[in-house]
């Protein structure tokens, strides 16, 4: 199979490329090597066996050329960052929505041999995860506002009776309640490509990824995911900053497990026309991530909870992975212990630049960081 990976120089795209090559497929990568992630340079890890094309997903002629001769497209070109998306609105909409619209338009109107399109969607599309209220049963709490969390009342509440509601796994049929511009763009990407499936018969599979971690997540991009940010903080001798009280949770999934699953779906078509959660199915508190990283790096740093709330963050969202398990035997294989140890080992051989204080200043200036306790 010949596969085009848009955003193929990125964190997840490059692991997918390695996995597809290992399985004997031909791979073409389209990537604009954006400054914030790559500093405009092709990363050293790019597989030599893949064909690399520098180009932007918003450039129709680049997409038409990149799609020539391929049988499957994995669409990973994307501006990534929940907090940053809240003020760089035009940029996130342009890259994520217009970029996907260009791809959709090319698939709908140009001649091609594409038999399958895969999009890694995002858990952020759900908004606050599902919860159980002792009085009202299963509920979907609203996103927390500054007033909600004032005085450290961090936990989401039942939208009906106002009691604290306990987090439970969220399944794919949950209503999408995107709470950030980034989430909105990921959700729109899903809808655009599902439309092309219905209208033009190009089968589409959407994998809603939860928090993916592993080597190659940029250690110098302060807008990246929490594990990479914590590692670059500790490497620079500073304590990780844990927002809220640190007991907010995320569902972490190892990038190698993601790459293997996406490859399997591209090969087999077992997910076609469907949407699937890809996650570990386990909730881990963010404070625990900071503590584990400091321990693995042998640094006696105690992460302090900031007591500040990053506007737009959800408190909890853990995946129900039963649909993926039943449909194509999905099984997360790498434990958090193994994964974090591997990630920390990798990070020690990498340059990193801790730009976190700058992003904190930026968030405060834009009043997106609320001090609540
Ligand atoms: C992340 C990804 C998003 C992906 C989604 C899927 C990034 C930037 N975001 O969003 O692309 O679609 O997972 O699940 O990679 N936190 C701290 N201290 C920090 C940084 C973060 O306490 O220095 C906390 C945040 O407040 C939040 C949690 O860690 O509670 C996770 O934050 P983050 O890594 O930015 O991820 P998501 O917003 O979950």
């Amino acid at each position: 199979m010949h596969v085009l990976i848009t955003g193929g120089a990125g964190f997840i795209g490059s692991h997918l490329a390695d996995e597809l090559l290992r399985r004997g497929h031909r791979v073409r990568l389209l990537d604009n090597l954006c400054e914030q992630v790559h500093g405009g340079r092709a990363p050293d890890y790019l597989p030599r066996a893949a064909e690399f094309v520098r180009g932007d997903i918003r450039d129709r002629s680049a997409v038409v050329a990149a799609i020539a001769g391929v049988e499957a497209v994995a669409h990973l070109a994307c501006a990534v960052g929940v907090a940053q998306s809240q003020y760089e609105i035009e940029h996130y909409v342009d890259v994520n929505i217009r970029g996907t619209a260009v791809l959709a338009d090319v698939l709908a109107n140009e001649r091609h041999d594409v038999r399958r399109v895969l999009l890694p969607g995002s858990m952020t599309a759900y908004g606050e995860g599902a919860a159980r209220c002792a009085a009202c049963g299963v509920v979907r709490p609203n996103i927390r506002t500054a007033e909600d969390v004032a005085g450290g009342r961090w936990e989401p509440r039942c939208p009906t009776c106002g009691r604290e509601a306990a987090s439970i796994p969220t399944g794919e049929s949950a209503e999408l309640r995107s709470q950030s511009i980034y989430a909105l763009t990921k959700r729109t990407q899903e809808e655009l490509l599902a439309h092309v499936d219905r209208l033009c018969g190009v089968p589409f599979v959407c994998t809603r990824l939860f928090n993916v971690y592993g080597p190659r997540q940029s250690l110098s991009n302060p807008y990246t995911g929490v594990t990479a940010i914590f590692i670059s903080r500790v490497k620079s001798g500073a304590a990780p900053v844990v927002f809220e009280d640190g007991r907010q949770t995320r569902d972490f999934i190892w990038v190698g497990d993601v790459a293997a699953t996406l490859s399997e779906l591209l090969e087999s078509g077992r997910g076609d026309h469907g949407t699937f959660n890809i996650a570990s199915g386990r909730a881990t508190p963010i404070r625990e991530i900071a503590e584990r990283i400091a321990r693995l790096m042998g640094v006696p740093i105690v992460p302090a909870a900031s007591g500040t709330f990053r506007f737009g963050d959800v408190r909890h969202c853990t995946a129900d992975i039963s649909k993926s398990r039943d449909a194509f035997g999905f099984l997360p294989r790498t434990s958090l212990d193994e994964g974090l140890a591997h990630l920390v080992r990798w990070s020690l051989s990498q340059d990193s630049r801790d730009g976190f204080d700058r992003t904190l200043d930026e968030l405060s200036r834009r009043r997106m960081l609320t001090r609540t306790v």
Side-chain angles (χ1 to χ4, degrees):
M1 183 173 51
H2 192 180
V3 184
L4 167 67
I5 307 177
T6 73
F11 164 46
I12 302 175
S14 66
H15 282 280
L16 176 60
D18 283 346
E19 181 67 26
L20 286 167
L21 289 166
R22 213 171 4 249
R23 292 171 182 234
H25 301 294
R26 279 180 71 192
V27 175
R28 179 180 294 149
L29 312 173
L30 175 71
D31 202 297
N32 69 352
L33 302 177
C34 77
E35 198 58 37
Q36 182 166 304
V37 179
H38 299 290
R41 287 184 36 240
D44 297 340
Y45 56 67
L46 273 196
R48 285 180 198 286
E51 178 192 355
F52 178 72
V53 180
R54 185 163 183 179
D56 195 299
I57 189 67
R58 294 162 290 182
D59 174 354
R60 187 184 181 94
S61 55
V63 174
V64 170
I67 225 166
V70 305
E71 294 143 290
V73 178
H75 178 41
L76 283 84
C78 187
V80 179
V82 173
Q84 191 182 34
S85 76
Q86 305 282 55
Y87 49 89
E88 294 206 4
I89 298 172
E90 185 177 352
H91 176 66
Y92 273 76
V93 168
D94 196 44
V95 176
N96 297 356
I97 299 184
R98 189 163 73 81
T100 305
V102 170
L103 174 64
D105 200 282
V106 168
L107 289 168
N109 293 301
E110 306 283 343
R111 288 173 67 117
H112 60 78
D113 304 317
V114 175
R115 297 197 304 260
R116 178 160 303 118
V117 176
L118 180 147
L119 172 80
S122 166
M123 134 284 198
T124 54
Y126 290 120
E128 191 64 57
R132 186 181 301 282
C133 165
C136 308
V138 174
V139 294
R140 289 294 302 285
N142 296 318
I143 191 82
R144 298 161 301 158
T145 62
E147 293 75 50
D148 290 334
V149 297
R153 293 190 303 276
W154 303 112
E155 292 299 327
R157 295 179 174 271
C158 172
T160 309
C161 71
R163 278 195 180 81
E164 254 184 37
S167 170
I168 58 170
T170 304
E172 294 83 346
S173 61
E175 187 195 344
L176 301 183
R177 296 174 162 194
S178 315
Q179 301 290 347
S180 64
I181 298 295
Y182 171 76
L184 191 88
T185 65
K186 291 304 290 178
R187 170 188 179 168
T188 307
Q189 290 185 326
E190 290 186 18
E191 291 176 1
L192 278 168
L193 294 173
H195 191 74
V196 173
D197 183 345
R198 285 192 300 273
L199 200 71
C200 316
V202 184
F204 166 56
V205 52
C206 175
T207 52
R208 286 200 189 122
L209 304 183
F210 281 59
N211 293 58
V212 184
Y213 72 104
R216 302 182 188 165
Q217 196 163 26
S218 172
L219 297 179
S220 301
N221 172 7
Y223 303 97
T224 190
V226 66
T227 50
I229 291 176
F230 284 175
I231 287 177
S232 65
R233 289 288 287 175
V234 176
K235 275 184 71 138
S236 73
V241 175
V242 176
F243 294 129
E244 306 181 29
D245 59 354
R247 295 196 181 89
Q248 70 273 35
T249 62
R250 289 295 185 277
D251 183 333
F252 289 89
I253 175 87
W254 176 245
V255 69
D257 290 343
V258 171
T261 304
L262 303 192
S263 301
E264 147 73 13
L265 291 176
L266 283 165
E267 281 173 339
S268 70
R270 284 165 81 194
D272 283 1
H273 317 295
T275 299
F276 300 93
N277 284 342
I278 301 298
S280 69
R282 288 168 189 273
T284 305
I286 294 301
R287 180 199 287 269
E288 185 184 322
I289 295 289
E291 287 165 353
R292 280 173 180 245
I293 285 173
R295 210 162 42 239
L296 282 163
M297 294 180 83
V299 180
I301 282 178
V302 182
S306 69
T308 47
F309 170 58
R310 203 172 63 171
F311 181 72
D313 271 347
V314 300
R315 177 73 173 174
H316 306 289
C317 192
T318 306
D320 177 346
I321 53 175
S322 55
K323 182 178 171 193
S324 310
R325 193 187 52 223
D326 296 347
F328 48 86
F330 171 68
L331 186 69
R333 294 186 187 280
T334 310
S335 69
L336 194 58
D337 273 347
E338 268 176 280
L340 283 180
H342 186 150
L343 174 62
V344 165
R345 268 198 312 277
W346 168 82
S347 75
L348 297 177
S349 64
Q350 302 297 309
D351 289 336
S352 63
R353 205 175 51 244
D354 173 25
F356 184 71
D357 287 333
R358 194 162 41 86
T359 63
L360 266 192
D361 289 347
E362 197 172 352
L363 288 176
S364 308
R365 211 178 55 244
R366 294 174 188 276
R367 293 204 246 149
M368 288 185 45
L369 211 54
T370 317
R371 175 158 290 286
T372 55
V373 284

